[in-house]
Amino acid sequence: MLASFMSVMQPHRVLFIPELLGIILSFVDEDDHVNNACVCKQWSEIALDIIWKEVDGLSRLLTLLRPYKITGRYNFFDGLPDSRDWTRFQRYANRVRILRFQQDTDIDYSGLLDDMARTRTTLDMLPNLHTLEWIYEDVDCMERATLFMHQRLRHLVISAPPLRHKDKVSFFVDVCVRAPHLHSLDLRVPYRVQHIETAILELLRGLPDLKTIIFPEFFLTSSIVSELSRLKHINIVQFEYGHEQGFGEEKDVDVFAPVFEEGAFPALWDLAVTARIEHVMRFMNADFAPINLTSLYINTYVEHEPEELHTLLVMLSERCRGLSQLYILLAHYVAGESELVPAKQITFNTLAPLLSFPNLGTFQVMHKYPVNITLEEIEELACRWPSLESLTLNEEPLIMHDFTLDLRALIPFALHCPKLRRLGLFIDANPSNIPPMLELKPFAALCFLSVGTSRAQDPEAVAAFLSHLCPPKCKLEVGVTWTSFGVRSCRLLDDYLRVEITKRFHPWKSARDILPILIQLRREEREKSRALQEEVEDLRTRTRLLMDKTDIKANDSCIVA
C-alpha cells in the first residue's frame, strides 16, 4: 500500500528517517512488506528486518538456505549447502531475532540440521537471535536445539530432556556453556520434578544473569527455591498451569522449607509458590526472606481454616509493606462435597487485614465455599479501599447455593473505587433486588466483571441494570477456572457440578450477548441528555441576557391584563 503511494507522489523526506520509517512500517500488513522491500534500498533493509524478525517453524529458514525435498517423514537438501548458499542465507539470517519451533513427529528435520551444522561457514547461524523457543519430544530433536544457542541469546523457552534420557545434566550443562547470559528461562516438563531436580539445580548454577524463571506447577521445591535465592539478578519466579507447561505432583512440595543465606533474593519482586499456609508464613518470617515483594501468588490444595488465612494476611501486612498484588488460591476440594460448612467460610473479618496494606491494589482469593460477607461490609470495604484496581472475591465457589450478595453489591465499588479495572463477585442476580437505576453512577475504569458461578434469573433485566454501571468496553466473564489447576480433584469436577455450572452459564451468556447493545444505547441516551441540557442552559443564558437588556424582571409576567 505504501509502495503504491510512493510511486505516484514525491515522498516526504520524513519517510527516509530510519527510526520513523521502521515504526510506520511495523503497522503495515504483513503481505505489504514484500512490496515495501522493492521501493528502494533503504526501505528494503527496513522491510526485510521486519519480515525476518520473527520466524515460526524451521521450514521457512531451511528453504532460505537451499531447496529440500520430502521423502516420507524425512527431509533432504537437493545438494549440500555451499559457501554461496551460506552467503545468501546470512543476509537474511542476521535479521532473525526470534525463532520458534515445535516438533511435529510426522516431519523429521534432523538430517537438514545436521547438514547445516557440517557445512556452516560461521559458528553462530543466527548471530543476532535473542529469543529461542524449542519444544521437542525426542532426544534427537533436543540435541539440535544447541545449534541456535550462543552468547547473545537472552530468552529461552525449552522442553526438558525426555524422561527416558538418562543424562539430563549434560544437556543443561551444554545450555549453560553455549548461552550463559540468559535473562529468562521457561522450562516445560511433562513429568515429576524428582526426576530432574538435580539437573535443574546444575542449570541454575550456570545461569548467573537469570532474571525470570517459569516452571510447571509443583516444581518450586525447597532445594530449587534455595538455589534461586542465591541468584543476584532473579526478580520473577513463577509457575504456569496446563498441559503445555507440564504437570508435576503435589507431594513434591508437601514440605516447603527453603534455606536462606544473607543476601538472599536481592532483586526478587514477583513470586509464585504452591505451599501450605503455615509453610508460607515460616518462609516469609525467616531471616533474609524476600520481604520486598510487590507481587505474591500463593496456591494450596490443603484445607485451611479461615483463621489461618487471617493470620497470614496480618503477617504479610506487617512484613511485606510493598505488596501491590496478592493472590491466594485455597484450591482444596474433595469430590462429592456439596454441603456448606459455615464455620469454614471466609468472612469480612478474615479479610479485614487487607485494609492495612499501604500499597495493595490487586487482591484475589479463591475458596470452595462462598465468602460470607454482607452488603454493609461490601460498602465498608469499597469505601475504605479507594485505590483498589482489581478485586476477585471468590466469584466461583463450588458449593454455590447460598448467597449473601446481589446486584446491589456492585454499586459501592462504582461509587468509591475510580481505578477499579477488574471485579469478581459471587452474586444472586435477582431482578427483585434491583435498585432504582436513575441514580446509579457508572464505573469509571472497569474492564472486566467476573461472575463465576453466580446465578442470574432474568438475563434481560440483569443486562439492563449492568448497562447503567458498565463502561462501553467492559467484558462480562462467566465460568470456572478450577479445571485448569494441577490437582486431579480440581480438574475433574462431579457430574452434578458440571451440570449446575452449565445451567448457570446460559442466562449469563444471554446477558453478556445483549449487554454491549444496551451499553451503547445508554451511552447515546446520556449524550442526547447532555446535549439537551446544554441547549436548555444556553436558552436560559440567552433569556437572562434578553431580560437584562430590556430591564424585565425574571418574575414579571409577559401577559397583559
Side-chain angles (χ1 to χ4, degrees):
M1 182 174 64
L2 278 174
S4 59
F5 172 78
M6 288 279 292
S7 64
V8 296
M9 291 189 65
Q10 184 68 23
H12 195 286
R13 59 184 179 181
V14 74
L15 296 178
F16 289 100
I17 300 174
E19 294 79 10
L20 293 178
L21 183 58
I23 294 172
I24 294 170
L25 293 185
S26 67
F27 291 97
V28 174
D29 292 338
E30 188 173 349
D31 293 340
D32 289 326
H33 286 312
V34 176
N35 294 330
N36 294 330
C38 300
V39 172
C40 64
K41 184 175 181 180
Q42 185 182 25
W43 277 49
S44 176
E45 291 299 310
I46 295 174
L48 288 174
D49 283 343
I50 296 173
I51 291 170
W52 287 98
K53 179 180 179 181
E54 299 184 26
V55 176
D56 292 315
L58 291 179
S59 177
R60 182 179 167 205
L61 199 63
L62 294 166
T63 305
L64 179 63
L65 179 61
R66 193 176 180 91
Y68 65 88
K69 55 186 178 181
I70 303 174
T71 305
R73 62 183 294 266
Y74 298 99
N75 298 273
F76 303 96
F77 283 122
D78 62 0
L80 280 178
D82 55 28
S83 58
R84 289 172 300 176
D85 296 323
W86 281 106
T87 299
R88 183 180 62 254
F89 178 84
Q90 287 301 330
R91 182 189 173 198
Y92 302 97
N94 291 342
R95 306 173 192 273
V96 179
R97 301 295 189 271
I98 301 171
L99 174 62
R100 302 184 185 94
F101 169 71
Q102 183 160 5
Q103 184 181 8
D104 182 346
T105 54
D106 294 330
I107 304 174
D108 188 345
Y109 290 111
S110 58
L112 299 178
L113 293 173
D114 289 345
D115 286 344
M116 291 180 75
R118 283 195 298 268
T119 62
R120 58 184 165 177
T121 55
T122 59
L123 182 62
D124 300 335
M125 291 191 292
L126 302 177
N128 295 312
L129 187 74
H130 61 64
T131 301
L132 175 62
E133 181 175 323
W134 195 271
I135 308 301
Y136 59 85
E137 297 183 16
D138 57 51
V139 175
D140 287 342
C141 190
M142 173 190 80
E143 293 171 343
R144 271 71 178 185
T146 57
L147 289 173
F148 301 99
M149 296 181 188
H150 51 69
Q151 299 275 327
R152 292 172 296 284
L153 192 68
R154 294 294 179 265
H155 311 285
L156 180 61
V157 181
I158 196 165
S159 308
L163 180 58
R164 66 179 182 276
H165 186 61
K166 294 182 179 180
D167 193 3
K168 300 179 179 65
V169 174
S170 63
F171 174 69
F172 283 155
V173 169
D174 200 13
V175 171
C176 294
V177 171
R178 294 173 184 270
H181 304 299
L182 287 178
H183 288 175
S184 70
L185 174 64
D186 182 344
L187 192 61
R188 313 289 176 88
V189 191
Y191 47 82
R192 286 180 61 180
V193 67
Q194 68 170 16
H195 300 299
I196 197 173
E197 187 174 44
T198 301
I200 290 176
L201 294 175
E202 201 65 36
L203 176 65
L204 295 177
R205 293 183 189 115
L207 299 174
D209 298 330
L210 201 62
K211 296 180 180 180
T212 301
I213 184 77
I214 302 175
F215 287 117
E217 193 181 10
F218 309 124
F219 268 62
L220 287 166
T221 63
S222 300
S223 298
I224 289 176
V225 173
S226 298
E227 191 61 48
L228 285 169
S229 72
R230 301 184 184 99
L231 296 179
K232 300 304 179 185
H233 304 288
I234 195 78
N235 49 49
I236 299 176
V237 176
Q238 294 181 341
F239 66 83
E240 296 287 348
Y241 301 108
H243 177 74
E244 287 187 0
Q245 196 71 37
F247 290 113
E249 287 196 19
E250 185 184 2
K251 64 181 71 174
D252 293 327
V253 294
D254 191 52
V255 177
F256 183 69
V259 177
F260 296 142
E261 301 171 356
E262 186 174 0
F265 285 127
L268 187 68
W269 59 268
D270 187 345
L271 174 64
V273 295
T274 299
R276 300 168 184 260
I277 284 181
E278 59 266 30
H279 294 172
V280 174
M281 292 187 62
R282 182 177 61 198
F283 172 83
M284 295 305 301
N285 274 318
D287 292 335
F288 317 120
I291 60 173
N292 294 320
L293 294 173
T294 60
S295 179
L296 177 60
Y297 185 103
I298 302 169
N299 191 14
T300 177
Y301 297 99
V302 178
E303 187 166 23
H304 289 286
E305 300 295 326
E307 292 76 14
E308 293 178 272
L309 175 59
H310 177 85
T311 305
L312 173 67
L313 293 175
V314 170
M315 183 272 295
L316 291 175
S317 69
E318 295 171 351
R319 293 277 287 170
C320 302
R321 304 290 289 173
L323 268 183
S324 61
Q325 300 178 15
L326 178 59
Y327 309 86
I328 302 177
L329 279 66
L330 307 175
H332 173 269
Y333 175 74
V334 177
E337 281 189 273
S338 59
E339 296 297 323
L340 179 68
V341 182
K344 294 184 180 295
Q345 283 183 276
I346 297 170
T347 66
F348 176 70
N349 290 334
T350 308
L351 303 176
L354 291 171
L355 300 173
S356 300
F357 286 85
N359 300 296
L360 195 65
T362 296
F363 177 70
Q364 176 184 7
V365 66
M366 177 180 284
H367 194 245
K368 60 187 175 184
Y369 298 134
V371 175
N372 187 5
I373 189 169
T374 66
L375 284 171
E376 292 75 17
E377 290 167 338
I378 284 289
E379 176 76 34
E380 181 180 352
L381 183 68
C383 187
R384 294 177 60 186
W385 205 347
S387 61
L388 188 62
E389 297 178 11
S390 176
L391 177 66
T392 308
L393 202 59
N394 194 33
E395 80 278 26
E396 50 173 299
L398 297 181
I399 313 301
M400 49 185 170
H401 297 285
D402 293 85
F403 298 89
T404 60
L405 302 177
D406 52 48
L407 287 167
R408 291 174 293 177
L410 302 176
I411 299 173
F413 294 105
L415 285 173
H416 303 296
C417 304
K419 298 179 181 179
L420 191 64
R421 296 177 60 82
R422 173 180 285 275
L423 178 62
L425 293 175
F426 179 63
I427 57 177
D428 181 13
N430 190 329
S432 63
N433 294 325
I434 293 179
M437 301 182 193
L438 295 178
E439 302 175 359
L440 294 179
K441 176 186 176 182
F443 285 98
L446 194 69
C447 297
F448 301 97
L449 176 61
S450 181
V451 294
T453 56
S454 297
R455 183 170 61 193
Q457 299 184 29
D458 185 341
E460 290 78 13
V462 170
F465 173 79
L466 293 178
S467 68
H468 285 271
L469 287 176
C470 296
K473 294 184 179 180
C474 182
K475 294 182 179 179
L476 183 63
E477 297 180 338
V478 59
V480 296
T481 59
W482 287 81
T483 52
S484 65
F485 296 158
V487 172
R488 185 177 177 84
S489 62
C490 292
R491 297 201 306 272
L492 301 177
L493 300 179
D494 295 316
D495 290 342
Y496 79 90
L497 262 182
R498 293 200 303 272
V499 170
E500 180 63 24
I501 291 171
T502 302
K503 179 181 176 182
R504 294 192 179 189
F505 171 79
H506 291 300
W508 282 112
K509 182 180 182 298
S510 298
R512 184 177 64 188
D513 291 342
I514 61 177
L515 181 59
I517 300 172
L518 293 179
I519 290 176
Q520 181 62 29
L521 289 174
R522 205 73 64 202
R523 185 180 184 182
E524 292 174 359
E525 285 178 5
R526 290 193 187 104
E527 290 175 353
K528 290 178 181 178
S529 177
R530 190 181 301 111
L532 184 60
Q533 188 175 358
E534 291 174 355
E535 186 176 347
V536 169
E537 288 297 324
D538 181 63
L539 288 172
R540 285 175 177 169
T541 302
R542 291 170 182 267
T543 302
R544 192 178 304 113
L545 291 172
L546 183 60
M547 287 179 174
D548 291 343
K549 186 176 293 186
T550 57
D551 197 25
I552 300 174
K553 294 182 180 180
N555 293 330
D556 288 348
S557 173
C558 63
I559 300 175
V560 179

